[in-house]
Amino acid sequence: MFDFSKSILQEVHPWFLNNTNKKLFIKRDDLIHDLVSGNKWRKLKYTIDHVLKNKYNGVITFGGAYSNHLLATASACEKYALPAIGIVRGSELTVTSNSVLEKCDELGMKLRFVSRDEYSDKNEKVYQEWLRQEYPGYYLIPEGGASYLGMIGCQEIMRECGDDIHAVFVAQGTTTTSCGILSSLSEKTRLHVVPVLKGFDSINEMRSLLAQCAFDEEWIAEALENVQAYPEYHFGGYGKYTNELLNFMERFFVDCQVPLDPIYTGKTMYALM
């Protein structure tokens, strides 16, 4: 498997904490692997293990034109010699549309470009059954790795950080990472989530995933009371950003020598500031 020991807990000193008694640490999951970056391997770890142990013929998963999840899955499957099918949103796309799709193709993932209408059926049982008939013996990984096994993998993030943490800030897409973190927090730690999608209902989305993963309703309600959402820092929606955000990221890098990205971590750090 990939080496989690590279993911250090690094203390940083950005300008916005000057003259305060606050300490800020970043969990450097971006150092785990250059392609299976950030939390992506956390969400794939137990799924890939399950696929290998049960001798599936390969995996099928889903993503958009610039999906880091597709790239991470392609890289992980290439490492373990697993055939991979990527269902990509956008029938107008090709393997040469951008560097992410080119790399997925280079790593051996077979890309299937579908219309947005077809892609919207990705979670429907009828569509999934059709895919299983089309690709017998393949295991379906939800978009973004949003599953029970993905969430369990994300629980390990906090276990590597220790208990002496008062607040955790995390970017939110599918809620898989935030649910994994929430289900492994100590009682004194509060979770702050920053959705990167416009109009995203963090609490209800987290409640839905936790319920799908068979958590008790009473536990879910109590746990979600420890979550604070910041829906106003999406900077226009998924994949969108402004010069203000880019300038902030540049200054943060100068201060801390830690790179942020404009889709997830940049927005989260800006919200924290």
Side-chain angles (χ1 to χ4, degrees):
M1 295 296 185
F2 294 92
D3 187 2
F4 287 136
S5 68
K6 295 179 180 178
S7 177
I8 60 174
L9 190 62
Q10 179 178 342
E11 185 172 4
V12 295
H13 305 277
W15 74 97
F16 55 83
L17 290 186
N18 290 346
N19 303 316
T20 75
N21 62 353
K22 308 292 184 185
K23 290 187 176 181
L24 177 60
F25 298 84
I26 297 180
K27 189 71 168 81
R28 295 296 305 276
D29 270 17
D30 59 308
L31 300 178
I32 293 173
H33 191 267
D34 57 342
L35 295 180
V36 191
S37 59
N39 60 353
K40 300 307 177 187
W41 179 238
R42 303 279 185 185
K43 294 193 285 185
L44 286 171
K45 175 183 175 182
Y46 290 109
T47 298
I48 295 296
D49 185 56
H50 174 77
V51 168
L52 292 171
K53 286 181 177 178
N54 289 277
K55 298 181 179 179
Y56 283 89
N57 292 334
V59 303
I60 305 171
T61 195
F62 310 85
Y66 295 92
S67 171
N68 287 329
H69 168 69
L70 283 180
L71 183 56
T73 304
S75 182
C77 287
E78 192 267 345
K79 179 178 177 68
Y80 294 104
L82 275 172
I85 307 295
I87 309 296
V88 186
R89 182 179 64 248
S91 55
E92 75 282 3
L93 300 171
T94 69
V95 295
T96 60
S97 291
N98 62 57
S99 60
V100 172
L101 297 176
E102 285 181 345
K103 190 63 178 179
C104 287
D105 180 66
E106 180 184 322
L107 290 166
M109 175 177 274
K110 293 183 179 179
L111 300 176
R112 182 170 185 153
F113 301 96
V114 302
S115 69
R116 283 159 176 76
D117 284 343
E118 180 178 335
Y119 191 84
S120 67
D121 292 333
K122 63 185 180 298
N123 296 323
E124 299 295 330
K125 290 183 179 180
V126 173
Y127 184 68
Q128 292 185 358
E129 185 57 37
W130 177 79
L131 285 175
R132 290 189 178 96
Q133 292 177 7
E134 190 82 0
Y135 304 102
Y138 276 60
Y139 185 85
L140 266 65
I141 303 175
E143 182 181 35
S147 67
Y148 172 77
L149 291 175
M151 191 192 67
I152 295 302
C154 290
Q155 287 181 339
E156 298 178 353
I157 296 172
M158 293 310 301
R159 292 172 185 163
E160 296 169 12
C161 294
D163 295 329
D164 192 24
I165 295 174
H166 297 95
V168 175
F169 275 73
V170 63
Q172 203 173 49
T174 63
T175 79
T176 310
T177 303
S178 51
C179 284
I181 289 174
L182 179 64
S183 61
S184 58
L185 283 183
S186 66
E187 292 182 358
K188 66 181 180 181
T189 308
R190 187 162 176 79
L191 178 61
H192 303 261
V193 297
V194 183
V196 300
L197 294 90
K198 188 176 183 179
F200 191 77
D201 189 341
S202 295
I203 302 302
N204 279 333
E205 291 290 341
M206 292 179 73
R207 181 181 288 110
S208 177
L209 181 59
L210 290 167
Q212 290 173 35
C213 294
F215 281 85
D216 178 76
E217 285 187 15
E218 185 175 342
W219 181 90
I220 294 173
E222 184 176 339
L224 288 175
E225 291 180 0
N226 197 35
V227 179
Q228 174 68 52
Y230 301 89
E232 66 269 34
Y233 293 104
H234 53 73
F235 285 87
Y238 184 78
K240 297 184 179 180
Y241 49 87
T242 65
N243 286 333
E244 181 183 7
L245 179 62
L246 296 179
N247 290 336
F248 167 82
M249 291 166 49
E250 182 178 359
R251 185 173 181 186
F252 187 88
F253 183 76
V254 170
D255 267 23
C256 305
Q257 297 300 297
V258 175
L260 302 175
D261 75 87
I263 298 179
Y264 295 103
T265 57
K267 295 176 180 180
T268 304
M269 193 61 67
Y270 190 95
L272 185 151
M273 178 186 69

